[in-house]
Amino acid sequence: MEQYVIKGGNPLYGEVEIGGAKNAALAILAAAIMTDETVTIDNLPNVRDINVLLQAIQEIGAKVERVDVHKVKINGSFIREVSVDNEFIRKIRASYYLIGALLGKYRHAEVALPGGCDIGSRPIDLHIKGFRSMGATVEIEHGLVVAKTDRLVGTHIYLDKVSVGATINIMMAAAMAEGKTVIENAAKEPHVVDVANFLNSMGANIRGAGTDVIRIVGVEKLHKTEYSVIPDQIEAGTFMFAVAATGGDVLVKDVIPKHLEATTAKLLEVGCKVEEFDDAVRVISDGKLNHTQVTTLPYPGFPTDMQPQMAVLLGIAEGTSTVTESIFENRFKYVDELTRMGATIKVESNIAIITGVKKYSGARVNAPDLRAGAALVIAGLEADGITVVDDIYYIERGYEEFEKKLSKLGAQIEKVSDEKELQKFILKVS
Ligand code: UD1
C-alpha cells in the first residue's frame, strides 16, 4: 500500500502549474461519446477517476486514443452496448454522467449506481426526476440505473436542491432531446459552464449556463470538436492553502482567478496576501493566521471541496473559528485524524468549532476521502516531525503528481510503497 511520508516545517516557495478540472473533465469525457465524429480533448488531468471513466467508455466500444497524458481523441461511433458496469466504475461518482450521455444519444442507458467518496448520502433522485420528466422510464435493476424511452422530449425542470451532477446530466440528455428544456435552480459552478461550452462546440444549443436558469434546445446530431478543459479550481485552492499553512510565497499558475474568489477571500481574511494576475495567483504567507467563519455553499459560495483544507488552516489559526458544512452531512470524517495531529476541534451537527493550536505534530493518519486526504497532507507539511498518510489511493483520484508538485516547492514529501522505503526517507530527512 502506497503512503505519503512528510517531514513538516518547510515553507513553500516557487511556482506550481495547475492541471485541468477533474470534475469538468469527467462530464466532458462522457459527453464526448454523444457524437459519432472524433472529439479531441486537451488539458485532461492524469488522475485515477479520469482513467477509470476512459476505460469504461472503451469497454462499451468507444475508440479512445491517448495522444499524450493530457490529451485524448474519442470516437463514439463504435459503441455497441449501452450497459456500463465494472468494479472500478462502481466506485466513481461521475459514472452517472454516462446515463445522461447514453440516454441522450441512444435513448437507452444502463449504468452502475454511482459510488464516490463517502462524504454523506449521495442520492441521484434529482437526476432521475429530470430524466423521467423528459419521458424516460428509470428503474434500478440489479445495481444498475436503467433508463430508456422511445422519445426524449424537452420539458421544464425545477431542481429542488442545487445539484452540479443533476444540472450537467439533464443538460447532456436535453442537448439531444426533442424541443426545449428549461432547468431552473440550476448549479452555476464553472464546470457546468465548461460542459455547456463543450456541448455547444459540438453543435448543441445551450444558453444560460452559469446562471440559475439554463435553456437547451435539442439538436438531432452533435459533431466533432477540439476542446481544452478549464483549470481545476480545487487543485489550485489546495496549493494556495498549503502555502498559507506552511508560510512562503508561491505563484499558482494556469488558473482562472475569478473561479477562486471565495477561496481567495478566505485567505485574505486569515491574513495572507493574494495577488491576482490574468491566469495566475500569488499567495504570500508568514504562517501566522487569524480565526474566521466559513460556510460551504453552491458556487459562487465557498466550495465544499475546499472545506477540509480550510479546517486544517483554521486548526493553526489564532482564536476560535467555525466551519459550517451545508452541502454534505458526513464531511467531517477527517476530524479524528486531525485531532491525532494535535488539533482541537469539536463537531456539533454540521458545524466544526476549531480552537487554533500553535502547530500540528506529525502522526500516522488515514486519508478518509479525496479532499480530506489532501487536507491531511497540508497538516503534515506544517507539522513538527514526520507524518505518514495512508490510503493515498483517494488523493490520487483527483491530484496529479501531488507529492512531486509539492516537492518542487520545497516540501519534504515522498510517496513510498513499503516500510523499507519509509525508513529510508526518515533517515534521509533526520
Ligand atoms: C459534485 C462534485 C463534488 C462536489 C459537489 C458539490 C463531481 C464528480 N463531484 O458532486 O466533488 O463536492 O459536486 O460541489 O463533479 N443531491 C440530492 N439529489 C440528487 C443530487 C444531489 O439530494 O439527485 C444533493 C446532495 O446530496 C448534496 C447536494 O445535492 O447535498 C449537492 O450535490 P451535487 O452538487 O449533486 O454533488 P455531486 O454532483 O454529487
Side-chain angles (χ1 to χ4, degrees):
M1 288 288 259
E2 292 182 319
Q3 303 160 314
Y4 286 144
V5 52
I6 305 158
K7 164 92 179 347
N10 287 22
L12 302 179
Y13 287 98
E15 296 182 357
V16 60
E17 279 159 22
I18 299 304
K22 169 185 79 90
N23 288 346
L26 288 166
I28 286 172
L29 290 177
I33 64 172
M34 295 180 75
T35 170
D36 281 340
E37 299 180 15
T38 299
V39 169
T40 306
I41 303 161
D42 204 354
N43 204 30
L44 278 182
N46 186 23
V47 295
R48 202 176 297 246
D49 278 13
I50 294 289
N51 295 324
V52 166
L53 191 65
L54 281 172
Q55 169 82 27
I57 62 175
Q58 218 164 359
E59 277 174 19
I60 58 169
K63 202 167 143 210
V64 175
E65 184 198 332
R66 204 78 191 228
V67 181
D68 61 46
V69 282
H70 297 133
K71 188 171 181 176
V72 285
K73 284 179 190 282
I74 294 175
N75 187 302
S77 67
F78 302 95
I79 290 177
R80 38 171 207 280
E81 52 177 318
V82 292
S83 181
V84 192
D85 190 12
N86 68 41
E87 64 169 306
F88 305 109
I89 200 79
R90 267 177 253 142
K91 292 190 184 136
I92 70 167
R93 176 79 180 156
S95 56
Y96 54 44
Y97 288 134
L98 291 169
I99 310 173
L102 291 166
L103 186 66
K105 187 178 182 194
Y106 299 109
R107 307 298 196 243
H108 185 180
E110 300 188 3
V111 180
L113 260 179
C117 284
D118 180 14
I119 51 177
S121 102
R122 303 186 75 177
I124 56 162
D125 56 308
L126 295 171
H127 305 231
I128 292 176
K129 173 181 157 180
F131 298 141
R132 283 192 178 138
S133 68
M134 296 169 82
T137 59
V138 187
E139 307 296 340
I140 312 291
E141 291 172 16
H142 312 294
L144 297 182
V145 182
V146 179
K148 48 183 157 181
T149 183
D150 294 330
R151 289 185 62 201
L152 196 65
V153 185
T155 182
H156 207 103
I157 297 163
Y158 174 81
L159 295 178
D160 305 291
K161 204 166 175 184
V162 178
S163 160
V164 177
T167 302
I168 293 178
N169 222 348
I170 294 167
M171 192 167 80
M172 288 204 287
M176 293 190 79
E178 295 170 36
K180 185 171 176 179
T181 299
V182 179
I183 307 174
E184 281 197 70
N185 200 27
K188 296 183 282 214
E189 265 70 1
H191 41 298
V192 175
V193 180
D194 206 35
V195 181
N197 287 343
F198 171 71
L199 284 163
N200 283 342
S201 78
M202 291 204 295
N205 183 348
I206 302 171
R207 300 285 169 262
T211 75
D212 45 24
V213 183
I214 303 180
R215 295 184 167 78
I216 306 130
V217 180
V219 296
E220 251 176 55
K221 263 193 173 157
L222 296 170
H223 56 67
K224 66 180 175 186
T225 185
E226 290 192 14
Y227 198 82
S228 182
V229 177
I230 52 165
D232 197 309
Q233 51 158 338
I234 307 299
E235 187 195 7
T238 302
F239 278 95
M240 291 164 77
F241 278 25
V243 185
T246 60
D249 181 347
V250 170
L251 189 68
V252 182
K253 288 167 64 175
D254 301 340
V255 300
I256 298 174
K258 172 132 192 58
H259 295 169
L260 296 165
E261 274 174 355
T263 303
T264 299
K266 287 297 156 190
L267 282 180
L268 296 174
E269 273 176 42
V270 297
C272 299
K273 280 197 193 131
V274 183
E275 288 173 22
E276 287 184 6
F277 304 93
D278 284 350
D279 61 356
V281 288
R282 178 179 175 197
V283 180
I284 305 166
S285 164
D286 58 8
K288 292 192 187 76
L289 306 170
N290 308 319
H291 60 95
T292 193
Q293 267 77 47
V294 63
T295 301
T296 63
L297 285 169
Y299 189 85
F302 187 83
T304 173
D305 284 357
M306 284 298 297
Q307 184 260 97
Q309 301 90 313
M310 184 77 208
V312 163
L313 273 198
L314 297 177
I316 45 165
E318 179 144 37
T320 300
S321 303
T322 58
V323 173
T324 305
E325 173 57 56
S326 76
I327 314 274
F328 293 109
E329 74 271 20
N330 194 14
R331 217 165 183 175
F332 287 126
K333 286 207 313 195
Y334 60 88
V335 164
D336 288 346
E337 301 301 297
L338 206 53
T339 304
R340 302 182 58 234
M341 297 182 72
T344 308
I345 305 182
K346 210 166 102 192
V347 177
E348 282 175 10
S349 167
N350 65 333
I351 304 175
I353 302 151
I354 304 171
T355 308
V357 295
K358 279 222 155 60
K359 222 171 174 22
Y360 290 117
S361 74
R364 189 161 184 151
V365 291
N366 286 307
D369 61 66
L370 164 58
R371 304 305 171 184
L376 290 170
V377 170
I378 296 179
L381 295 172
E382 190 276 341
D384 250 345
I386 301 287
T387 296
V388 178
V389 182
D390 283 311
D391 293 339
I392 63 167
Y393 162 87
Y394 285 112
I395 302 174
E396 292 183 333
R397 294 180 67 156
Y399 291 89
E400 180 175 343
E401 304 202 316
F402 194 38
E403 78 287 4
K404 289 194 182 130
K405 289 186 181 184
L406 286 166
S407 296
K408 264 182 73 185
L409 296 174
Q412 287 185 291
I413 176 171
E414 233 172 76
K415 183 156 80 175
V416 296
S417 43
D418 55 37
E419 191 59 30
K420 216 167 121 197
E421 283 180 22
L422 179 77
Q423 292 308 330
K424 209 168 130 196
F425 174 87
I426 293 175
L427 212 66
K428 189 171 83 186
V429 296
S430 53

